[in-house]
Amino acid sequence: MKVDLYEKIWMWASVALIVVFLTTLALAAGSQAVRPPSHIETVDPTTIYEHPEFGSPGVETRPDGSVLVTGVAQMFIWDPDPIEVPAGAPVTFRLTSADVIHGFQVVGTNANAMVIPGYVTEFTMTFDEPGEYLILCHEYCGLLHHEMMSKLIVEESSS
């Protein structure tokens, strides 16, 4: 079979481009220390409400003034609902799901996380502006997904 010179040039140029892209990706990942997580915290989603931490989701104020929110997402509710926290305090969210993948988004803020069954999602935010914020599920989780919402109430700090 005869391959024209121009076809050979385009084939080799395509291969060279793929090699350049893969090399760039490997070098960027290596130089930026991109590694998979070394520790992933898991829970059994079938017994989530018997778990010592997630069995009774809620809001806890720690002695240092920070707040711990332990929450469970389940079709089509957030537990606890509503979540009340003081303004200006660091709020650590520890979330998991009892059934399917959910998304946790506090509208108007940078709080945005995936909530996956069997895994614990943890992140910390500080809400400086008092008010009521809408919490939405941003991952399709079933027929009533559009109804899955909650409320975050940021109260004026007493100090």
Side-chain angles (χ1 to χ4, degrees), residues 5-77:
L5 177 63
Y6 290 115
E7 289 178 357
K8 287 180 183 178
I9 292 171
W10 280 109
M11 285 189 296
W12 283 109
S14 299
V15 169
L17 219 69
I18 291 171
V19 169
V20 167
F21 288 148
L22 292 177
T23 304
T24 304
L25 182 67
L27 289 174
S31 68
Q32 299 297 322
V34 177
R35 306 279 185 268
S38 60
H39 172 72
I40 299 175
E41 190 175 352
T42 60
V43 294
D44 182 3
T46 60
T47 59
I48 199 71
Y49 284 107
E50 298 161 15
H51 190 275
E53 181 180 6
F54 295 103
S56 56
V59 180
E60 172 191 341
T61 302
R62 297 173 173 164
D64 65 356
S66 65
V67 177
L68 174 65
V69 176
T70 305
V72 176
Q74 187 171 355
M75 287 187 200
F76 299 98
I77 59 170

Side-chain angles (χ1 to χ4, degrees), residues 88-104:
V91 180
T92 299
F93 292 91
R94 289 183 47 84
L95 308 168
T96 191
S97 171
D99 46 27
V100 299
I101 295 175
H102 296 280
F104 182 87

Side-chain angles (χ1 to χ4, degrees), residues 71-155:
V72 176
Q74 187 171 355
M75 287 187 200
F76 299 98
I77 59 170
W78 294 104
D79 192 9
D81 180 24
I83 298 171
E84 297 181 17
V85 299
V91 180
T92 299
F93 292 91
R94 289 183 47 84
L95 308 168
T96 191
S97 171
D99 46 27
V100 299
I101 295 175
H102 296 280
F104 182 87
Q105 179 182 18
V106 181
V107 177
T109 71
N110 287 337
N112 187 346
M114 299 288 298
V115 184
I116 302 171
Y119 295 93
V120 177
T121 299
E122 181 175 327
F123 65 95
T124 302
M125 291 283 302
T126 301
F127 301 96
D128 294 322
E129 292 295 320
E132 292 186 2
Y133 296 86
L134 184 62
I135 298 173
L136 296 176
C137 176
H138 61 73
E139 289 293 323
Y140 182 74
C141 57
L143 290 175
L144 294 178
H145 162 73
H146 63 283
E147 294 289 329
M148 187 171 176
M149 58 188 79
S150 181
K151 191 183 298 185
L152 172 71
I153 302 171
V154 179
E155 300 169 334

